[in-house]
Amino acid sequence: GAIKGLTLDTCEALGLELPPLPADLAATIQAELPDFVAASNPLDLTAQAITHPEMYARTIKPLLADDSFGSLLLTVIIGEASEFALAKGKACLAPLVGSSKPAILGLLGEEVNVPASIISDARAAGIPFFRSPERALRALARLTAHGRSLQRAHTREAMAPMSLPPLSGQEQSGGATLTEYASKAYIAKLGIQIPRGRLVGNLLDASE
């Protein structure tokens, strides 16, 4: 609960959005949680995950599969290096491996002697590893800002005016303002359909 509160405060300070769980996803995750806690974002798996490590995969995989979320941060307490710590670390890491979305593993306790294989396995899978949730959230905020910057640039590029063909000598001969015929000929170059017609110089040509 304390880490959940810390996450909410830090995300607010960093401008990181925490989308609510869609109703169907909330129901899926709620089925994996004890009755005394509600499915929400941030999600608290409670101490039940200690004796039921399969809760990590059963809750993380649906979150990663949902389009409401662009990334996921898993914050856990591993504890000192031991067989139990190793088993818990692997259970936390397994559902993050192969994610198509940014997935981060954050641990509590910078002084804790975490099993070395947890860190090496995370790095081998391309999963960023942080010793504190604050650092992980700051990194995620930077990544989010970068992604939004790329999106804005892509939008500007898509909205940029198309390259127009130059005016021909005949079209320019009328001066700064194009004649109706020259305007239609130019518009046709842009691929825009115009009424069928042609330029004539006398009544005889017009009657043909």
Side-chain angles (χ1 to χ4, degrees), residues 22-73:
D24 55 343
L25 178 60
T28 298
I29 292 179
Q30 188 65 59
E32 305 296 336
L33 301 176
D35 295 336
F36 57 82
V37 64
S40 63
N41 185 17
L43 178 64
D44 181 10
L45 296 186
T46 75
Q48 293 277 47
I50 296 176
T51 55
H52 296 79
E54 67 277 3
M55 290 176 65
Y56 291 108
R58 291 179 178 176
T59 53
I60 290 173
K61 288 183 177 180
L63 285 168
L64 289 173
D66 195 284
D67 291 336
S68 303
F69 308 98
S71 56
L72 184 141
L73 165 62

Side-chain angles (χ1 to χ4, degrees), residues 115-201:
S117 63
I118 298 299
I119 302 175
S120 60
D121 288 351
R123 289 174 175 167
I127 298 172
F129 173 86
F130 290 85
R131 283 286 194 163
S132 72
E134 297 97 332
R135 291 183 187 179
L137 288 169
R138 286 199 298 269
L140 194 54
R142 293 289 186 181
L143 181 62
T144 301
H146 177 63
R148 287 175 175 168
S149 177
L150 292 178
Q151 187 178 41
R152 288 193 296 269
H154 178 73
T155 301
R156 288 194 298 268
E157 183 179 340
M159 296 178 63
M162 60 181 177
S163 178
L164 300 178
L167 293 172
S168 67
Q170 182 180 0
E171 291 165 344
Q172 291 176 324
S173 61
T177 302
L178 297 181
T179 63
E180 179 182 353
Y181 173 77
S183 298
K184 288 181 176 179
Y186 186 75
I187 292 173
K189 287 183 180 180
L190 303 179
I192 300 174
Q193 290 187 346
I194 60 173
R196 185 170 56 89
R198 61 189 178 91
L199 178 64
V200 297

